[in-house]
Amino acid sequence: MINFQQVSKFYDTATALRDINLSIEKGEMAFITGPSGAGKSTLMKLIYAAELPDSGRITIAEWETDKLDGATIPQLRRNIGIVFQDFRLLLNKNVYDNVALALRVRRIPEKEVKALVLDALKMVNLRHKTDSFPSTLSGGEQQRVVIARAIVGEPIIVLADEPTGNLDPDTAAGIMRIFKEINVRGTTILIATHNRELFRDTGKRVMRLDNGNMVNEERG
Amino acid sequence: MTYSIKLALQSLWHEKWINFLSMLTIAMGLLVVTLVVSSIYNVNLFARKLPEKFFIVAYLKEGLTEKETQHIMSSIKDRGSIARAKYISKADALKELKASLKDADYVLEGLDENPLPASIEIRMKKEAVGPEAVKSFADSLRKIEGIDDVQYGEKFLLSLHSMKTGMETIGLILTVVMISGIVFICYSTVKILFYRRKDEIETLKLLGATRGFIRTPFVIEGGVIGAVGGIISVIIAAAFYFSVFYKLSATVPVIRAVVFPTELFLSLPAVGLFLGITGSLIAMGRIRF
Ligand SMILES: Nc1ncnc2c1ncn2[C@@H]1O[C@H](COP(=O)(O)OP(=O)(O)OP(=O)(O)O)[C@@H](O)[C@H]1O
Ligand SMILES: [Mg+2]
């Protein structure tokens, strides 16, 4: 489902990723860990084509990311639900509209949007914040809105970049339960985190990045 | 689509002052264009009616024989650009003058001899009426033996013609300037709105929005701004027409001859819509992912 072959990404001043080989199967749940600046977010951006690799090849489902254009990039992204490390919530829209956006960009009829959005908000325990604006929410609540937006469209891949960074251990465990649930239903999930608690005892693959290099792979 | 419309309306409302200002400016621009176009329209209309009324009078010398007169008539009629030539004898001329004086014809009573010359009234073919053609025709008439003098509204014809071409030139320039101005206003309005929502657009792209999805609300917004500008200009023009023009035309007869091209007025909202959409499309340019 997600395939990297000898992928490198350089920024002007830094090497973000070097010769990464990576293969994540359909329906798999996997983790990427490593210290700050290791290249975790960059790896995610390469998957949803916000960045293109400087060398190597990336295949996501049926798409090769460097062959994408204005017409196919939206198609790829509609199949990926993203929990952005920096949230990317629209501050002038309430919780409902923020989550609904993921469906509206797919031109899903408003009738269906409502039920799906309320379901997703229920899953992250934010049903009571439907009409609130992001600025009035706590960090953890904002993070859960982002998670609801990522899963509401039932994408085939969910990328979660530090999805529990602002959550207390109990809430974090609740979010992990949601990810496991949608993973059981067949969604491929890739989680970037430096929180070991998230992958401890999961038995899932954990890939460790350091300074842009893939240093080892273990089971959680 | 409904969502795009909702977004556009929200944004229109949210930025109502900048939008309203743009609409007013566009309305003014469209009004100027309308004014220019209807002036040109009227001058053209007038210029087109003119050839039917336009005639040349050739005054004949005194004491020509009937044969000589007939010779002159036939040599005039032979020319291709003539529609009609009518001989007016000295007696006819006097009769006409008397008729036009009506009750005041006593002023002619003391005359024992008819002082009016005989003349030929010539109407040219419509397509032949133009300052140069008429002038050369008049000159050729003057050369005919037996013709004393030739008169026509030379100055008038010339000034009408130069007014027509002058107005067309100025009108064309003004129209182009105004239309570019309107497109530019829509362009910059949408550009500002687009930049203000840059982050939002970036997020939309990452969520999988297509170019169309991103563009549609802005195109609608630009179109609405242009169209409402057009509607405002129609309202202002109608208000002007009924309050000033309509009343004036009752007292000042010249104004009655002025024609307002109604179709032009009613098309203003559509023109505004088109210009607004054009401006916003240019403002967004190519959206890159
Ligand atoms: N847009 C950019 N321009 C230049 N350098 C960048 C850019 N984005 C990331 N980098 C650099 O690339 C390296 C990897 O960054 P990345 O964001 O992938 O790290 P990360 O593993 O996600 O870190 P964190 O755990 O803090 O989120 C860093 O050295 C960073 O400074
Ligand atoms: Mg990161």
Side-chain angles (χ1 to χ4, degrees), chain A residues 40-41 85 161:
Chain A
K40 304 183 292 297
S41 297
Q85 190 170 15
D161 197 347

Side-chain angles (χ1 to χ4, degrees), chain A residues 11 13-14 16 35-42 45 51 85 162 194:
Chain A
Y11 290 115
T13 50
S36 182
K40 304 183 292 297
S41 297
T42 305
K45 285 176 189 161
E51 300 283 359
Q85 190 170 15
E162 217 58 76
H194 27 223

